[in-house]
Amino acid sequence: MIQFRNFMFFFPLLLFSCSGQKADKMPKLPNIILICADDLGWSDIGCYGSEVLTPNLDKLGEGGMRFTNFYNTSKCFPSRASLLTGVYAQQCGYDKTHTNRITNAVTLGEVLRTAGYRTMWSGKHHGPENPVFRGFDRYYGLRDGACNYFNPGEQRNGEGAPARKGKPGNKTIRAWCIDSVTYMPYTPEEKDFYTTDYYTNYALQWIEEYKDEENPFFLYLAYTAPHDPLMAWPEDIERYKGRYNEGYAAIREARYKKQRSMGLTGEKYKLSESVYQSWEDLSEEERADEIKRMEVYAAMIDRLDQNIGRVIKKLEETGRIDNTLILFVSDNGASAEVVSIEDDYGEIGTLTRWESLGGDWANVGNTPFRYYKNYSYEGGINSPLIAWWPGKIEAGSISGFRGHFIDFMPTFVELTGARYPQEFNGQPVVPMQGQSLLPVFQGQQADREKPLFWEWSQGQAVYHNSWKLVRHGLNKSWELYNLNDDPVETMNMAVQQPDKKAELEKLFMEWKEGLAD
């Protein structure tokens, strides 16, 4: 049962409780835009410390609320499944593979339709189902996990062969959908095609198409940037020429200082020990290669921000900007994964070459935290989250509330009065696992009511009442951290606090056992 709180600025809820008052005199339900980046590190945008030019995200962050403790699952497809369903990936069939259909759960689209929302999704899914058959009126994008940014399909006349995962003669074919039609492969005719741009193009077309509708809309804008392959437009790369010549340490230290100076982090946020190579020990050729990787990575984030600016402009043009809640998040920390393809060629950043960021720059991307994507330490699971809603969320506010992707569903349910079902298509539905963020948006700083759990690959963790138990390696010893005192996980308290360690380990094991019920 959802408990409705008495929020003076969330008037839409009153539609369901105020008898004798006409609905047309009540404020309208807000439009909701949920934007998800891919493999973006905690410090990779300007308002979280980066030197990358992100004026549009900075505008949202400075004009809204930035979270310092908002969590994903450390891997893209289970994170996106939790975001979409409001339950843990283990509860909807997405904890080990993205090839299963969503089970025992409903999507944000299916739920928000019950409140009259027009539902739209542009971008990455990373699952086998076409979203138009799971609650979305419109869908455009990559049904898979990663693809070539300039051409996800076959070679086009006058161009080189697009770099794709797989061995020569056995390249992976990616699925692409436009509404109800699935293409395998999808080879765009447009020579200006770039996934980040075209995800936005379709979103803007829909906002324009439905601008005269009285009903609100929900737009899930699921970008693949800056996930590999590292590919960007030359003009975007040019803006970062020479910016990374000083190497890892200089950039990481500058980000850390900026985070402190803007008040995003405090004295308790110690800069964790670095794990990147010594810049001075690299050869000139190796340094040039690393500089180019980061220039392209920055350019991809820059282009992502440009496209978010296009969305903001369209909202202004259609008169919807003042009644739209915008949320921006990343699906996991910066990635140390490296993809190697035998027959790609050309420069880093181009159509014919698939390259990855690598662990050294990923360590910088997750400043000040440890580790990266796939780990249940803070560097893998802590997402930058921006919440922006003019007049409803205080500008310039920073929240330390420990939220999770599972919280989006209950937030939207409470905000809109949408109905979350007990069963769907004759099958039972797992109850929502998260809690509403509406009181957090209002400025209340209460700690989380229930524990949080993580398990992906070799990583496991549980958080409750400021304490976090974590390990990487199922046979490794548990480590214990008090995140209120040590948010960067530098002081392992497992030996000093054996009772707390045992308490959290029991919580985790009970959660795992309960998943089988």
Side-chain angles (χ1 to χ4, degrees):
M1 173 68 72
I2 300 298
Q3 296 185 3
F4 295 99
R5 298 171 175 86
N6 183 24
F7 296 121
M8 294 305 294
F9 59 87
F10 292 116
F11 285 115
L13 298 180
L14 299 180
L15 286 169
F16 301 93
S17 60
C18 295
S19 60
Q21 195 165 7
K22 292 185 178 179
D24 59 4
K25 292 184 179 180
M26 303 300 293
K28 294 181 179 179
L29 291 169
N31 306 300
I32 302 170
I33 299 179
L34 178 55
I35 305 170
C36 187
D38 201 341
D39 286 8
L40 180 83
W42 199 78
S43 71
D44 276 337
I45 58 177
C47 60
Y48 275 78
S50 180
E51 70 294 331
V52 180
L53 302 175
T54 57
N56 296 294
L57 282 168
D58 296 349
K59 176 183 175 181
L60 297 178
E62 293 159 6
M65 177 177 286
R66 284 171 291 168
F67 284 66
T68 57
N69 301 301
F70 195 81
Y71 293 118
N72 55 69
T73 74
S74 85
K75 180 71 171 179
C76 38
F77 70 80
S79 287
R80 290 168 186 257
S82 292
L83 174 152
L84 191 62
T85 63
V87 304
Y88 287 104
Q90 289 82 358
Q91 296 169 310
C92 63
Y94 269 72
D95 55 320
K96 292 182 175 63
T97 177
H98 56 83
T99 60
N100 292 337
R101 295 179 179 273
I102 295 170
T103 56
N104 303 318
V106 287
T107 70
L108 290 172
E110 287 161 341
V111 170
L112 287 173
R113 272 183 170 178
T114 69
Y117 274 74
R118 168 74 64 179
T119 56
M120 305 172 289
W121 178 348
S122 185
K124 173 177 173 175
H125 175 23
H126 214 162
E129 297 174 280
N130 186 325
V132 298
F133 303 119
R134 290 307 308 254
F136 287 85
D137 299 315
R138 308 299 299 268
Y139 177 62
Y140 170 85
L142 176 68
R143 212 189 63 195
D144 280 298
C147 71
N148 191 299
Y149 280 75
F150 292 113
N151 178 7
E154 303 291 352
Q155 184 174 359
R156 299 180 294 202
N157 290 334
E159 293 182 346
R164 296 192 312 196
K165 286 184 177 181
K167 295 182 179 180
N170 188 27
K171 296 296 186 180
T172 303
I173 298 176
R174 298 299 187 179
W176 197 277
C177 298
I178 303 179
D179 289 328
S180 63
V181 181
T182 298
Y183 300 86
M184 292 184 69
Y186 176 65
T187 307
E189 296 180 0
E190 302 89 350
K191 293 302 178 69
D192 68 341
F193 183 90
Y194 183 76
T195 57
T196 306
D197 296 334
Y198 270 72
Y199 295 150
T200 310
N201 289 352
Y202 274 76
L204 299 185
Q205 289 175 23
W206 297 332
I207 293 173
E208 180 68 25
E209 180 178 348
Y210 302 121
K211 66 180 180 181
D212 294 326
E213 284 191 346
E214 291 188 5
N215 285 359
F217 69 79
F218 168 64
L219 170 64
Y220 177 31
L221 195 46
Y223 290 108
T224 48
H227 192 294
D228 64 2
L230 298 179
M231 294 180 179
W233 291 115
E235 61 267 28
D236 292 332
I237 300 173
E238 186 65 29
R239 274 194 288 279
Y240 296 92
K241 287 292 184 183
R243 184 65 185 83
Y244 299 100
N245 290 3
E246 294 181 87
Y248 316 119
I251 299 300
R252 189 168 186 249
E253 184 66 31
R255 290 188 178 192
Y256 178 68
K257 289 180 178 178
K258 184 177 178 182
Q259 290 167 349
R260 294 287 297 273
S261 66
M262 67 174 57
L264 186 68
T265 60
E267 294 182 358
K268 294 179 180 179
Y269 283 78
K270 309 299 182 184
L271 186 59
S272 62
E273 184 178 353
S274 64
V275 295
Y276 44 70
Q277 305 173 77
S278 169
W279 193 252
E280 290 70 27
D281 290 344
L282 299 179
S283 68
E284 185 175 342
E285 182 180 356
E286 288 171 329
R287 285 197 296 269
D289 184 87
E290 287 296 289
I291 289 167
K292 183 68 173 184
R293 288 175 194 278
M294 192 58 200
E295 288 173 350
V296 176
Y297 183 76
M300 296 170 75
I301 298 169
D302 188 313
R303 177 61 62 158
L304 170 69
D305 184 80
Q306 293 177 47
N307 277 277
I308 291 171
R310 295 173 63 201
V311 174
I312 294 171
K313 183 179 179 182
K314 175 59 70 173
L315 293 173
E316 292 171 342
E317 291 173 350
T318 55
R320 290 179 177 260
I321 190 71
D322 290 333
N323 194 33
T324 299
L325 168 63
I326 300 178
L327 299 162
F328 172 86
V329 74
S330 176
D331 63 2
N332 46 246
S335 176
E337 296 175 346
V338 175
V339 173
S340 180
I341 296 177
E342 297 178 14
D343 59 344
D344 62 354
Y345 61 95
E347 288 190 41
I348 297 173
T350 61
L351 168 89
T352 57
R353 183 166 173 180
W354 190 301
E355 287 292 343
S356 306
L357 183 66
D360 293 339
W361 282 121
N363 186 202
V364 176
N366 294 324
T367 303
F369 301 119
R370 302 164 61 201
Y371 298 113
Y372 357 74
K373 175 183 179 180
N374 292 310
Y375 287 76
S376 294
Y377 293 89
E378 295 293 289
I381 64 173
N382 202 334
S383 290
L385 170 66
I386 295 170
W388 182 89
W389 191 5
K392 309 296 191 301
I393 295 175
E394 182 181 356
S397 53
I398 296 174
S399 174
F401 178 79
R402 297 190 188 278
H404 191 284
F405 276 31
I406 56 177
D407 295 339
F408 288 126
M409 179 70 83
T411 300
F412 297 162
V413 166
E414 181 169 6
L415 176 60
T416 66
R419 296 187 299 276
Y420 186 88
Q422 292 183 329
E423 63 176 47
F424 184 76
N425 288 340
Q427 299 297 318
V429 170
V430 176
M432 288 182 286
Q433 299 297 293
Q435 65 185 76
S436 173
L437 298 173
L438 296 192
V440 185
F441 293 165
Q442 195 186 27
Q444 300 177 15
Q445 294 295 317
D447 198 3
R448 188 163 196 92
E449 297 167 1
K450 296 180 180 179
L452 287 172
F453 302 96
W454 293 266
E455 184 171 39
W456 161 253
S457 184
Q458 296 297 303
Q460 295 178 320
V462 54
Y463 168 84
H464 189 48
N465 290 339
S466 83
W467 290 94
K468 179 182 173 185
L469 194 69
V470 59
R471 66 182 176 184
H472 191 78
L474 304 186
N475 296 318
K476 298 288 186 180
S477 298
W478 288 101
E479 298 173 24
L480 179 68
Y481 299 96
N482 187 318
L483 295 186
N484 284 359
D485 297 333
D486 178 25
V488 186
E489 300 170 315
T490 59
M491 298 177 290
N492 181 7
M493 304 294 290
V495 173
Q496 295 91 328
Q497 297 282 347
D499 291 343
K500 181 60 67 174
K501 174 178 174 290
E503 174 191 336
L504 290 181
E505 185 173 6
K506 182 182 180 202
L507 273 178
F508 182 84
M509 294 306 174
E510 288 176 347
W511 173 73
K512 271 189 67 70
E513 292 169 4
L515 293 172
D517 294 342

Short mmCIF file of all heavy atoms in Angstrom, two decimals, residues 313-348:
data_model
loop_
_atom_site.label_atom_id
_atom_site.label_comp_id
_atom_site.label_asym_id
_atom_site.label_seq_id
_atom_site.Cartn_x
_atom_site.Cartn_y
_atom_site.Cartn_z
N LYS A 313 15.34 22.83 -24.76
CA LYS A 313 14.85 23.85 -25.69
C LYS A 313 13.48 23.49 -26.24
O LYS A 313 12.58 24.34 -26.36
CB LYS A 313 15.85 24.03 -26.84
CG LYS A 313 15.45 25.12 -27.83
CD LYS A 313 16.49 25.27 -28.94
CE LYS A 313 16.07 26.34 -29.94
NZ LYS A 313 17.05 26.44 -31.05
N LYS A 314 13.27 22.23 -26.58
CA LYS A 314 11.96 21.79 -27.11
C LYS A 314 10.88 21.94 -26.05
O LYS A 314 9.74 22.33 -26.37
CB LYS A 314 12.05 20.34 -27.59
CG LYS A 314 10.73 19.73 -28.05
CD LYS A 314 10.09 20.51 -29.20
CE LYS A 314 10.86 20.35 -30.49
NZ LYS A 314 10.15 20.98 -31.64
N LEU A 315 11.20 21.64 -24.80
CA LEU A 315 10.23 21.84 -23.72
C LEU A 315 9.84 23.31 -23.60
O LEU A 315 8.68 23.65 -23.37
CB LEU A 315 10.79 21.34 -22.40
CG LEU A 315 11.02 19.83 -22.27
CD1 LEU A 315 11.75 19.51 -20.97
CD2 LEU A 315 9.70 19.07 -22.33
N GLU A 316 10.82 24.19 -23.76
CA GLU A 316 10.54 25.63 -23.71
C GLU A 316 9.67 26.05 -24.88
O GLU A 316 8.70 26.81 -24.70
CB GLU A 316 11.86 26.40 -23.71
CG GLU A 316 12.68 26.22 -22.45
CD GLU A 316 14.07 26.82 -22.56
OE1 GLU A 316 14.52 27.08 -23.70
OE2 GLU A 316 14.72 27.01 -21.52
N GLU A 317 9.97 25.55 -26.06
CA GLU A 317 9.21 25.91 -27.26
C GLU A 317 7.77 25.44 -27.19
O GLU A 317 6.86 26.10 -27.72
CB GLU A 317 9.89 25.31 -28.50
CG GLU A 317 11.23 25.93 -28.84
CD GLU A 317 11.93 25.19 -29.96
OE1 GLU A 317 11.47 24.08 -30.34
OE2 GLU A 317 12.96 25.70 -30.45
N THR A 318 7.53 24.29 -26.57
CA THR A 318 6.18 23.74 -26.49
C THR A 318 5.44 24.14 -25.22
O THR A 318 4.34 23.66 -24.96
CB THR A 318 6.23 22.20 -26.60
OG1 THR A 318 7.11 21.68 -25.58
CG2 THR A 318 6.74 21.77 -27.98
N GLY A 319 6.06 24.99 -24.40
CA GLY A 319 5.40 25.48 -23.19
C GLY A 319 5.27 24.47 -22.09
O GLY A 319 4.44 24.62 -21.18
N ARG A 320 6.12 23.43 -22.09
CA ARG A 320 6.00 22.37 -21.09
C ARG A 320 7.09 22.41 -20.02
O ARG A 320 7.09 21.60 -19.10
CB ARG A 320 6.03 21.00 -21.77
CG ARG A 320 4.78 20.70 -22.61
CD ARG A 320 4.91 19.33 -23.26
NE ARG A 320 3.73 18.94 -24.02
CZ ARG A 320 2.79 18.13 -23.58
NH1 ARG A 320 2.88 17.64 -22.35
NH2 ARG A 320 1.76 17.80 -24.33
N ILE A 321 8.00 23.34 -20.14
CA ILE A 321 9.19 23.32 -19.29
C ILE A 321 8.87 23.46 -17.81
O ILE A 321 9.50 22.82 -16.96
CB ILE A 321 10.20 24.41 -19.74
CG1 ILE A 321 11.54 24.24 -19.02
CG2 ILE A 321 9.62 25.81 -19.52
CD1 ILE A 321 12.33 23.07 -19.46
N ASP A 322 7.89 24.29 -17.46
CA ASP A 322 7.64 24.57 -16.04
C ASP A 322 6.94 23.44 -15.31
O ASP A 322 6.94 23.42 -14.08
CB ASP A 322 6.81 25.86 -15.90
CG ASP A 322 7.60 27.10 -16.28
OD1 ASP A 322 8.83 27.07 -16.17
OD2 ASP A 322 6.98 28.09 -16.72
N ASN A 323 6.35 22.53 -16.06
CA ASN A 323 5.65 21.42 -15.41
C ASN A 323 6.25 20.08 -15.82
O ASN A 323 5.55 19.12 -16.11
CB ASN A 323 4.16 21.44 -15.75
CG ASN A 323 3.36 20.52 -14.83
OD1 ASN A 323 3.70 20.34 -13.66
ND2 ASN A 323 2.31 19.91 -15.37
N THR A 324 7.58 20.05 -15.86
CA THR A 324 8.28 18.82 -16.22
C THR A 324 9.35 18.50 -15.19
O THR A 324 10.20 19.33 -14.87
CB THR A 324 8.93 18.94 -17.61
OG1 THR A 324 7.91 19.17 -18.59
CG2 THR A 324 9.67 17.67 -17.97
N LEU A 325 9.28 17.30 -14.65
CA LEU A 325 10.30 16.77 -13.76
C LEU A 325 11.35 16.07 -14.62
O LEU A 325 11.02 15.16 -15.39
CB LEU A 325 9.68 15.77 -12.78
CG LEU A 325 10.64 14.91 -11.95
CD1 LEU A 325 11.51 15.76 -11.03
CD2 LEU A 325 9.87 13.86 -11.15
N ILE A 326 12.59 16.50 -14.51
CA ILE A 326 13.69 15.89 -15.26
C ILE A 326 14.63 15.21 -14.28
O ILE A 326 15.08 15.83 -13.30
CB ILE A 326 14.46 16.92 -16.10
CG1 ILE A 326 13.53 17.59 -17.13
CG2 ILE A 326 15.62 16.25 -16.83
CD1 ILE A 326 14.22 18.67 -17.96
N LEU A 327 14.94 13.96 -14.55
CA LEU A 327 15.88 13.19 -13.75
C LEU A 327 17.00 12.69 -14.65
O LEU A 327 16.75 12.18 -15.75
CB LEU A 327 15.19 12.00 -13.09
CG LEU A 327 14.05 12.34 -12.12
CD1 LEU A 327 13.18 11.12 -11.88
CD2 LEU A 327 14.61 12.85 -10.81
N PHE A 328 18.24 12.84 -14.20
CA PHE A 328 19.38 12.37 -14.96
C PHE A 328 20.22 11.46 -14.08
O PHE A 328 20.54 11.81 -12.93
CB PHE A 328 20.25 13.53 -15.44
CG PHE A 328 21.54 13.08 -16.08
CD1 PHE A 328 21.59 12.74 -17.42
CD2 PHE A 328 22.71 12.97 -15.32
CE1 PHE A 328 22.78 12.30 -18.00
CE2 PHE A 328 23.90 12.52 -15.89
CZ PHE A 328 23.94 12.20 -17.24
N VAL A 329 20.62 10.30 -14.62
CA VAL A 329 21.36 9.32 -13.83
C VAL A 329 22.27 8.52 -14.76
O VAL A 329 22.08 8.53 -15.99
CB VAL A 329 20.37 8.39 -13.09
CG1 VAL A 329 19.71 7.41 -14.05
CG2 VAL A 329 21.01 7.69 -11.91
N SER A 330 23.26 7.83 -14.19
CA SER A 330 24.10 6.90 -14.94
C SER A 330 23.84 5.48 -14.44
O SER A 330 23.57 5.27 -13.26
CB SER A 330 25.58 7.24 -14.76
OG SER A 330 26.41 6.28 -15.40
N ASP A 331 23.94 4.50 -15.35
CA ASP A 331 23.56 3.13 -14.98
C ASP A 331 24.60 2.37 -14.18
O ASP A 331 24.31 1.31 -13.61
CB ASP A 331 23.13 2.33 -16.21
CG ASP A 331 24.24 2.13 -17.23
OD1 ASP A 331 25.37 2.58 -16.98
OD2 ASP A 331 23.97 1.51 -18.28
N ASN A 332 25.83 2.85 -14.13
CA ASN A 332 26.89 2.28 -13.27
C ASN A 332 28.09 3.21 -13.34
O ASN A 332 28.07 4.23 -14.02
CB ASN A 332 27.28 0.86 -13.69
CG ASN A 332 27.49 0.66 -15.17
OD1 ASN A 332 26.73 -0.06 -15.82
ND2 ASN A 332 28.49 1.30 -15.74
N GLY A 333 29.15 2.86 -12.62
CA GLY A 333 30.33 3.69 -12.63
C GLY A 333 31.09 3.60 -13.95
O GLY A 333 30.78 2.77 -14.82
N ALA A 334 32.10 4.46 -14.11
CA ALA A 334 32.96 4.39 -15.29
C ALA A 334 33.55 2.99 -15.41
O ALA A 334 33.82 2.32 -14.42
CB ALA A 334 34.06 5.44 -15.19
N SER A 335 33.76 2.57 -16.65
CA SER A 335 34.08 1.17 -16.91
C SER A 335 35.56 0.94 -17.18
O SER A 335 36.19 1.66 -17.97
CB SER A 335 33.28 0.67 -18.12
OG SER A 335 33.65 -0.66 -18.45
N ALA A 336 36.10 -0.11 -16.54
CA ALA A 336 37.47 -0.56 -16.82
C ALA A 336 37.50 -1.71 -17.81
O ALA A 336 38.57 -2.23 -18.13
CB ALA A 336 38.15 -0.98 -15.52
N GLU A 337 36.32 -2.13 -18.29
CA GLU A 337 36.27 -3.21 -19.27
C GLU A 337 36.97 -2.78 -20.56
O GLU A 337 36.87 -1.63 -20.98
CB GLU A 337 34.82 -3.56 -19.60
CG GLU A 337 34.02 -4.11 -18.43
CD GLU A 337 32.56 -4.32 -18.78
OE1 GLU A 337 32.10 -3.81 -19.82
OE2 GLU A 337 31.87 -5.00 -18.00
N VAL A 338 37.67 -3.71 -21.19
CA VAL A 338 38.36 -3.42 -22.45
C VAL A 338 37.94 -4.45 -23.49
O VAL A 338 38.08 -5.66 -23.28
CB VAL A 338 39.89 -3.45 -22.27
CG1 VAL A 338 40.58 -3.27 -23.62
CG2 VAL A 338 40.33 -2.35 -21.30
N VAL A 339 37.40 -3.97 -24.60
CA VAL A 339 37.00 -4.82 -25.72
C VAL A 339 38.12 -4.81 -26.75
O VAL A 339 38.62 -3.75 -27.13
CB VAL A 339 35.69 -4.32 -26.35
CG1 VAL A 339 35.36 -5.12 -27.61
CG2 VAL A 339 34.55 -4.43 -25.34
N SER A 340 38.52 -5.99 -27.20
CA SER A 340 39.56 -6.11 -28.23
C SER A 340 38.96 -6.76 -29.47
O SER A 340 38.38 -7.84 -29.40
CB SER A 340 40.73 -6.95 -27.70
OG SER A 340 41.73 -7.08 -28.68
N ILE A 341 39.10 -6.07 -30.60
CA ILE A 341 38.56 -6.57 -31.87
C ILE A 341 39.71 -6.74 -32.85
O ILE A 341 40.54 -5.83 -33.03
CB ILE A 341 37.50 -5.61 -32.43
CG1 ILE A 341 36.30 -5.57 -31.47
CG2 ILE A 341 37.05 -6.03 -33.82
CD1 ILE A 341 35.22 -4.61 -31.88
N GLU A 342 39.77 -7.89 -33.50
CA GLU A 342 40.94 -8.23 -34.31
C GLU A 342 41.11 -7.40 -35.57
O GLU A 342 42.23 -7.06 -35.95
CB GLU A 342 40.87 -9.72 -34.69
CG GLU A 342 40.92 -10.66 -33.50
CD GLU A 342 40.78 -12.11 -33.94
OE1 GLU A 342 40.92 -12.39 -35.14
OE2 GLU A 342 40.53 -12.97 -33.07
N ASP A 343 40.02 -7.06 -36.23
CA ASP A 343 40.15 -6.48 -37.56
C ASP A 343 39.69 -5.04 -37.66
O ASP A 343 39.43 -4.55 -38.76
CB ASP A 343 39.37 -7.34 -38.57
CG ASP A 343 37.89 -7.45 -38.22
OD1 ASP A 343 37.54 -7.15 -37.07
OD2 ASP A 343 37.11 -7.85 -39.09
N ASP A 344 39.56 -4.34 -36.52
CA ASP A 344 39.22 -2.92 -36.65
C ASP A 344 40.48 -2.14 -37.00
O ASP A 344 41.60 -2.62 -36.90
CB ASP A 344 38.54 -2.39 -35.38
CG ASP A 344 39.43 -2.47 -34.15
OD1 ASP A 344 40.53 -3.05 -34.25
OD2 ASP A 344 39.03 -1.96 -33.10
N TYR A 345 40.30 -0.89 -37.45
CA TYR A 345 41.44 -0.12 -37.92
C TYR A 345 41.07 1.36 -37.91
O TYR A 345 39.92 1.74 -37.66
CB TYR A 345 41.84 -0.55 -39.34
CG TYR A 345 40.76 -0.35 -40.37
CD1 TYR A 345 40.71 0.80 -41.16
CD2 TYR A 345 39.77 -1.31 -40.56
CE1 TYR A 345 39.71 0.98 -42.11
CE2 TYR A 345 38.77 -1.14 -41.50
CZ TYR A 345 38.74 0.01 -42.27
OH TYR A 345 37.75 0.19 -43.19
N GLY A 346 42.06 2.20 -38.17
CA GLY A 346 41.82 3.64 -38.20
C GLY A 346 42.10 4.29 -36.85
O GLY A 346 42.62 3.67 -35.92
N GLU A 347 41.74 5.55 -36.74
CA GLU A 347 41.99 6.31 -35.52
C GLU A 347 40.94 6.03 -34.45
O GLU A 347 39.79 5.72 -34.77
CB GLU A 347 41.99 7.82 -35.83
CG GLU A 347 43.19 8.31 -36.60
CD GLU A 347 43.22 9.82 -36.63
OE1 GLU A 347 42.91 10.46 -35.60
OE2 GLU A 347 43.54 10.37 -37.70
N ILE A 348 41.36 6.18 -33.19
CA ILE A 348 40.40 6.11 -32.09
C ILE A 348 39.37 7.22 -32.29
O ILE A 348 39.70 8.36 -32.57
CB ILE A 348 41.12 6.31 -30.74
CG1 ILE A 348 42.12 5.19 -30.49
CG2 ILE A 348 40.10 6.36 -29.60
CD1 ILE A 348 42.97 5.40 -29.24
#
